[in-house]
Amino acid sequence: MTESRPAHGKAISIEEYRELLPNMRSVTESNEVASVLTADDYFKVVNKPDTRPAFWKFADVRATLDRLAEEPLREAERRFCTTVNADTGELVGATPFIFIGWQLIHPGEEVPPHRHNSVAIYHILEGSGYTAVQEAGSTWTKYHWEKGDTLACPAWAYHAHYAEGDADTLMYVVQDMPMMAVSRTLFWEEPLGQENIRHMVTGTSPSWSVTRTKDDVDA
Amino acid sequence: MTESRPAHGKAISIEEYRELLPNMRSVTESNEVASVLTADDYFKVVNKPDTRPAFWKFADVRATLDRLAEEPLREAERRFCTTVNADTGELVGATPFIFIGWQLIHPGEEVPPHRHNSVAIYHILEGSGYTAVQEAGSTWTKYHWEKGDTLACPAWAYHAHYAEGDADTLMYVVQDMPMMAVSRTLFWEEPLGQENIRHMVTGTSPSWSVTRTKDDVDA
Amino acid sequence: MTESRPAHGKAISIEEYRELLPNMRSVTESNEVASVLTADDYFKVVNKPDTRPAFWKFADVRATLDRLAEEPLREAERRFCTTVNADTGELVGATPFIFIGWQLIHPGEEVPPHRHNSVAIYHILEGSGYTAVQEAGSTWTKYHWEKGDTLACPAWAYHAHYAEGDADTLMYVVQDMPMMAVSRTLFWEEPLGQENIRHMVTGTSPSWSVTRTKDDVDA
Amino acid sequence: MTESRPAHGKAISIEEYRELLPNMRSVTESNEVASVLTADDYFKVVNKPDTRPAFWKFADVRATLDRLAEEPLREAERRFCTTVNADTGELVGATPFIFIGWQLIHPGEEVPPHRHNSVAIYHILEGSGYTAVQEAGSTWTKYHWEKGDTLACPAWAYHAHYAEGDADTLMYVVQDMPMMAVSRTLFWEEPLGQENIRHMVTGTSPSWSVTRTKDDVDA
């Protein structure tokens, strides 16, 4: 599980594939990751300790948001934090499969268009504005929200958020990202229009990998 | 849930998006799919009747495979059948979340390279040959199998199968396709190299949609 | 998928099992739910139309809650409604796998203790009070919440809610119930202490089945 | 994530609950497992390295089975091994969400009745016999299998296996156990008739916990 293994790459052509085929490495034995466990050994490791309840007072979330509010909204990134139950371990969720995010948007700001195949449910806690969503791959719609409204954005639908008015917008965001990430089925496109910069599993975009710049990706 | 709604489309550029933004339709009321159910109404519909056990005698699977064996192996399609428990309803699985496939390959045939973000586990029931798999987006390896071997292909890894020897190859294939399809998170790339021909949710490739030709897709 | 098939029953003893064994029906052919689909037929049905975005204005949710607020809080049932995207079909979720609930509790009321193996995340939109949760099968804790707080309740942990103060409590509730229900893995114990009254798949409790009384269950 | 936290316990009565309620510990601050991560910190940890393909030659599986074949079939346990891709980490699966098991049964042996809410798909590689399954909580059926047959056993249905004839039975078993275990939604009842001995999350049965005897559980 080293971090140095490469991310899934770009699509290749059938011609490129035909060139690769005769020169591939051949494996005729069980390979290095193929283990065989007896029942006794398996039940010891598949067995997960229970997670304890997790309780977040809003003041602690607000403190983190206040800190983020001082920072610029980086190009392809959101000003948000997430509340994680430490007992979920590798899954890093509020529960094993569910992500809870708190997204702050200053009036006049845009959270740029992007998409992912985790779903996203936005509940508006404070503020007003709209979200532009591409519907099933064709037409786009602006959903105008205010406090109390909820918008469910389907998997892989482009979306962007726009805060309006005088006060900050605060969204309570629900996703199934932990389930998607741990099953290695997660896709991410951001910034929009760079389809090959897809952050499945290990990302290659500035926003997702957070340690890379767009120049790194373009290189 | 009409079938006529379009599939998720190609990636768009930020410039295209900027042109679309001022002209989008605005929605300020709950929309047509947004329903609100009371607890009483909800529990009646979320409640699923249990699935009965499903039992497939091999003779019935073999009869379908024998029929498929007479047909040509179409360009971007496999010669396989799947055993489905009718009680899984919309999920169309052997169990609600798991797909079981039976794949027949004549000696000398190639199941062309493709990828999907459902995982695939291949158990060799009969025959011998190899599977070429792209590992984590970089190097390719040929795994040489014979009866009794199992190969687990990760989500979104390119793979292709090659039957060798004198006898047919028969693979027992396990996927989590029903879970991926019903959650609308499934991606498919086939034929290889046509990254924008992606069959997420409703497919646009000849193989996946089965009712379309490559010309339809290219058009 | 008839509704008349029975729910999973009570545990049986090994002695009862030994009596049943010699008299069981024998099946030697593929059974009635075991179908075999070719690739062509399968891809037509596993293919799911995309879900459209769903947008709920709070006024519509509030109107349903206002109606429920007039009703008594029934013994083993909650005063809540759920926002469902009609495009999720059989899954009946805000998204295919995620449930969003809106729970109203009048000051002084108790939502009685119960448990289920769907997780529950409670975000407090209005009001104050506490939730009693059993931690990992042993000690109980009262989590005292007010507006803005979030509590993540693990799968199968007992929990009960208590509204305090002068104003109604309104909770925004996130669960993975649609995923659990459609995969037939959902368990429910309510009212507490009636372990055999377990609503897996098709429920047998007054609250879950909504069409049964406790007397029906006890009979 | 210490191993010492207790498993989910037995059902309690409403009277027991009423006694506990006034004496529970009160929490008014964010608790010890409640963390808040910024986007930057979150994307670094939710990001999972890809899993490599895993390839098991049958000879390696057979070697483990041969070893198990010498041992007695313990009371509430199966003589099986599982093929695990080491890259799946905490999930301990052939793929992140799917378990593959190889179950060996000598002629005349019984794998005793039990149930779990992971599904199980049995493909018969060698041998003949039958599986007794309780259908949807009521009637029981014996499914008589031989080489090539497949039986899909629903979640939480009781089942037991019986090998007949002169040769060993070998089953290829598919389950969604890794997904169920990591999401802490897994239930297990074994031996049958001891409903409170339920191995959810951390088990309390001799078979599941593998380190406990039935006397430990009864104590």
Side-chain angles (χ1 to χ4, degrees):
Chain A
M1 301 270 289
T2 62
E3 297 293 325
S4 60
R5 276 185 280 127
H8 276 309
K10 300 189 176 190
I12 71 169
S13 70
I14 192 69
E15 291 74 23
E16 289 171 302
Y17 176 76
R18 293 278 169 238
E19 279 185 48
L20 287 168
L21 188 59
N23 305 309
M24 291 176 192
R25 178 175 71 115
S26 273
V27 168
T28 58
E29 302 297 326
S30 295
N31 71 349
E32 66 272 28
V33 296
S35 61
V36 181
L37 300 183
T38 63
D40 279 10
D41 290 334
Y42 175 67
F43 284 135
K44 282 173 192 153
V45 288
V46 73
N47 214 346
K48 298 287 171 290
D50 203 3
T51 62
R52 286 162 287 185
F55 184 52
W56 297 270
K57 293 298 287 183
F58 185 56
D60 294 317
V61 175
R62 177 60 86 183
T64 300
L65 290 171
D66 285 347
R67 192 154 43 86
L68 293 174
E70 302 300 310
E71 300 180 9
L73 181 65
R74 282 164 295 170
E75 193 204 345
E77 202 134 281
R78 275 89 55 223
R79 187 184 284 122
F80 80 84
C81 65
T82 177
T83 39
V84 168
N85 183 338
D87 276 350
T88 61
E90 288 185 1
L91 290 143
V92 203
T95 66
F97 283 172
I98 297 179
F99 159 98
I100 297 293
W102 308 72
Q103 178 157 275
L104 181 72
I105 318 174
H106 293 316
E109 284 185 339
E110 172 193 64
V111 175
H114 64 288
R115 58 179 175 176
H116 36 78
N117 68 344
S118 51
V119 297
I121 302 172
Y122 301 99
H123 176 76
I124 310 305
L125 294 174
E126 302 171 9
S128 62
Y130 62 91
T131 298
V133 188
Q134 190 195 38
E135 188 168 314
S138 55
T139 57
W140 289 74
T141 304
K142 291 176 182 171
Y143 295 94
H144 294 265
W145 35 256
E146 56 199 342
K147 183 184 170 180
D149 297 344
T150 285
L151 174 67
C153 181
W156 207 236
Y158 284 121
H159 54 288
H161 306 293
Y162 300 86
E164 296 181 314
D166 299 319
D168 280 350
T169 284
L170 182 59
M171 294 175 164
Y172 191 80
V173 186
V174 182
Q175 291 205 24
D176 51 2
M177 214 179 334
M179 182 175 78
M180 303 292 292
V182 85
S183 59
R184 278 73 172 177
T185 58
L186 185 64
F187 283 71
W188 208 272
E189 179 191 337
E190 185 174 348
L192 174 152
Q194 306 201 28
E195 194 180 15
N196 284 314
I197 303 179
R198 184 189 296 121
H199 341 217
M200 195 232 168
V201 186
T202 44
T204 52
S205 122
S207 67
W208 179 252
S209 71
V210 303
T211 55
R212 298 182 182 214
T213 67
K214 190 171 175 308
D215 289 342
D216 290 334
V217 176
D218 292 343
Chain B
M1 302 269 291
T2 62
E3 297 292 326
S4 60
R5 275 184 282 127
H8 276 310
K10 301 190 175 188
I12 70 169
S13 69
I14 192 71
E15 291 75 22
E16 289 171 302
Y17 175 76
R18 294 279 170 240
E19 279 185 48
L20 286 168
L21 188 58
N23 305 308
M24 290 176 191
R25 177 175 71 115
S26 273
V27 168
T28 57
E29 303 296 326
S30 295
N31 72 348
E32 64 273 29
V33 297
S35 61
V36 181
L37 300 184
T38 63
D40 280 10
D41 291 334
Y42 175 67
F43 284 135
K44 282 173 192 153
V45 289
V46 74
N47 214 346
K48 299 287 171 288
D50 202 3
T51 62
R52 286 164 285 185
F55 184 51
W56 297 270
K57 294 298 287 182
F58 185 55
D60 294 317
V61 175
R62 177 60 85 185
T64 299
L65 289 171
D66 285 347
R67 191 152 46 85
L68 292 174
E70 302 299 312
E71 299 180 10
L73 181 65
R74 282 163 295 169
E75 191 205 347
E77 202 134 280
R78 275 88 57 222
R79 188 184 283 123
F80 82 83
C81 65
T82 178
T83 40
V84 168
N85 183 337
D87 276 350
T88 61
E90 288 184 1
L91 290 143
V92 203
T95 65
F97 283 171
I98 296 179
F99 159 97
I100 297 293
W102 307 73
Q103 178 156 277
L104 181 72
I105 318 175
H106 294 316
E109 282 185 342
E110 173 194 63
V111 175
H114 64 287
R115 59 179 173 176
H116 36 79
N117 67 343
S118 50
V119 297
I121 302 171
Y122 300 99
H123 176 76
I124 310 305
L125 295 174
E126 303 171 9
S128 62
Y130 63 91
T131 298
V133 188
Q134 190 195 40
E135 189 168 312
S138 55
T139 57
W140 289 74
T141 304
K142 292 176 182 172
Y143 296 95
H144 294 264
W145 35 255
E146 56 200 342
K147 183 183 171 181
D149 297 344
T150 286
L151 174 67
C153 181
W156 206 235
Y158 284 121
H159 54 288
H161 307 294
Y162 300 86
E164 296 181 313
D166 299 321
D168 280 350
T169 284
L170 182 59
M171 294 175 165
Y172 190 79
V173 186
V174 181
Q175 291 205 22
D176 52 0
M177 214 179 335
M179 182 174 79
M180 303 292 293
V182 84
S183 59
R184 277 74 172 176
T185 58
L186 185 64
F187 283 71
W188 208 272
E189 180 191 337
E190 185 175 349
L192 174 152
Q194 305 200 29
E195 194 181 14
N196 284 313
I197 303 178
R198 184 190 298 120
H199 343 215
M200 195 233 167
V201 185
T202 44
T204 52
S205 122
S207 66
W208 179 253
S209 71
V210 304
T211 55
R212 298 183 181 213
T213 67
K214 190 170 175 307
D215 290 343
D216 290 334
V217 175
D218 291 345
Chain C
M1 302 272 288
T2 61
E3 296 292 326
S4 60
R5 275 185 281 126
H8 276 309
K10 301 190 177 189
I12 69 169
S13 69
I14 192 71
E15 292 75 22
E16 289 171 302
Y17 176 76
R18 293 279 170 237
E19 279 186 47
L20 287 167
L21 189 59
N23 305 308
M24 291 176 191
R25 179 175 70 117
S26 272
V27 168
T28 58
E29 302 297 326
S30 295
N31 71 350
E32 65 271 30
V33 296
S35 60
V36 181
L37 300 184
T38 64
D40 280 10
D41 290 334
Y42 175 67
F43 283 135
K44 282 172 191 152
V45 289
V46 73
N47 215 345
K48 298 288 171 288
D50 203 3
T51 62
R52 286 163 285 184
F55 184 52
W56 296 271
K57 293 298 286 183
F58 185 56
D60 294 317
V61 175
R62 176 61 86 185
T64 300
L65 290 171
D66 285 347
R67 191 153 44 85
L68 292 174
E70 303 298 312
E71 300 180 10
L73 181 65
R74 283 164 295 170
E75 191 205 346
E77 202 135 280
R78 273 88 56 223
R79 186 184 285 124
F80 80 82
C81 64
T82 177
T83 40
V84 168
N85 183 338
D87 277 349
T88 61
E90 287 184 1
L91 290 142
V92 203
T95 67
F97 283 171
I98 297 178
F99 159 98
I100 297 293
W102 308 72
Q103 177 157 276
L104 181 71
I105 318 174
H106 294 316
E109 283 186 341
E110 172 194 65
V111 175
H114 64 288
R115 59 179 174 177
H116 35 78
N117 67 343
S118 51
V119 297
I121 303 171
Y122 301 99
H123 177 76
I124 310 305
L125 295 175
E126 302 171 9
S128 63
Y130 63 91
T131 297
V133 188
Q134 189 196 38
E135 189 167 311
S138 55
T139 56
W140 289 74
T141 304
K142 292 176 182 173
Y143 296 95
H144 293 265
W145 36 255
E146 57 199 343
K147 184 183 171 181
D149 297 344
T150 286
L151 173 67
C153 180
W156 206 236
Y158 283 121
H159 54 288
H161 307 293
Y162 300 86
E164 297 180 313
D166 299 320
D168 280 350
T169 283
L170 181 60
M171 293 176 165
Y172 190 78
V173 186
V174 181
Q175 291 204 23
D176 52 1
M177 212 177 340
M179 182 174 79
M180 302 294 291
V182 85
S183 59
R184 277 75 170 175
T185 57
L186 185 63
F187 283 71
W188 208 272
E189 179 192 338
E190 186 175 350
L192 173 152
Q194 306 202 28
E195 193 179 15
N196 285 312
I197 303 179
R198 184 190 296 120
H199 343 216
M200 196 231 167
V201 185
T202 44
T204 52
S205 122
S207 66
W208 180 253
S209 71
V210 304
T211 55
R212 298 180 182 214
T213 67
K214 190 170 174 308
D215 290 342
D216 290 334
V217 175
D218 292 344
Chain D
M1 302 269 289
T2 62
E3 297 291 327
S4 60
R5 275 184 281 127
H8 276 309
K10 300 189 176 189
I12 70 169
S13 69
I14 192 70
E15 290 75 22
E16 289 172 301
Y17 176 76
R18 294 280 170 236
E19 280 186 47
L20 287 167
L21 189 58
N23 305 308
M24 291 176 191
R25 178 176 70 118
S26 272
V27 168
T28 58
E29 302 297 326
S30 296
N31 71 351
E32 65 272 31
V33 296
S35 61
V36 181
L37 300 183
T38 64
D40 280 9
D41 291 333
Y42 175 68
F43 284 135
K44 282 172 193 153
V45 288
V46 74
N47 215 346
K48 298 288 171 288
D50 204 3
T51 62
R52 286 163 285 184
F55 184 51
W56 297 270
K57 294 298 287 184
F58 185 55
D60 294 317
V61 175
R62 178 60 87 184
T64 300
L65 289 171
D66 285 348
R67 191 152 45 85
L68 293 175
E70 303 299 311
E71 301 180 9
L73 182 65
R74 284 162 294 170
E75 192 205 344
E77 202 135 280
R78 273 88 54 223
R79 187 183 283 123
F80 79 84
C81 65
T82 177
T83 40
V84 168
N85 183 337
D87 276 349
T88 61
E90 287 184 2
L91 290 142
V92 202
T95 66
F97 283 171
I98 297 179
F99 160 97
I100 296 293
W102 309 71
Q103 178 157 274
L104 180 71
I105 319 175
H106 293 318
E109 283 185 341
E110 171 194 65
V111 175
H114 64 288
R115 58 179 174 177
H116 35 79
N117 67 343
S118 51
V119 296
I121 302 172
Y122 301 99
H123 176 77
I124 310 305
L125 294 175
E126 302 171 9
S128 62
Y130 62 90
T131 298
V133 188
Q134 190 196 38
E135 189 168 310
S138 54
T139 57
W140 289 74
T141 304
K142 291 176 181 171
Y143 296 94
H144 294 264
W145 35 256
E146 57 199 342
K147 183 183 170 181
D149 297 344
T150 286
L151 174 66
C153 180
W156 207 234
Y158 283 121
H159 54 288
H161 307 294
Y162 300 86
E164 298 180 313
D166 298 321
D168 280 351
T169 284
L170 182 59
M171 294 176 165
Y172 190 79
V173 186
V174 182
Q175 290 205 24
D176 51 1
M177 213 176 339
M179 182 175 78
M180 303 293 292
V182 84
S183 59
R184 277 74 171 177
T185 58
L186 184 64
F187 284 72
W188 208 273
E189 180 192 336
E190 185 175 350
L192 172 152
Q194 305 202 29
E195 193 179 16
N196 284 314
I197 303 178
R198 185 191 296 121
H199 343 216
M200 195 231 167
V201 186
T202 45
T204 52
S205 123
S207 67
W208 179 252
S209 72
V210 304
T211 55
R212 297 182 183 212
T213 67
K214 189 170 175 308
D215 290 342
D216 290 334
V217 175
D218 291 344

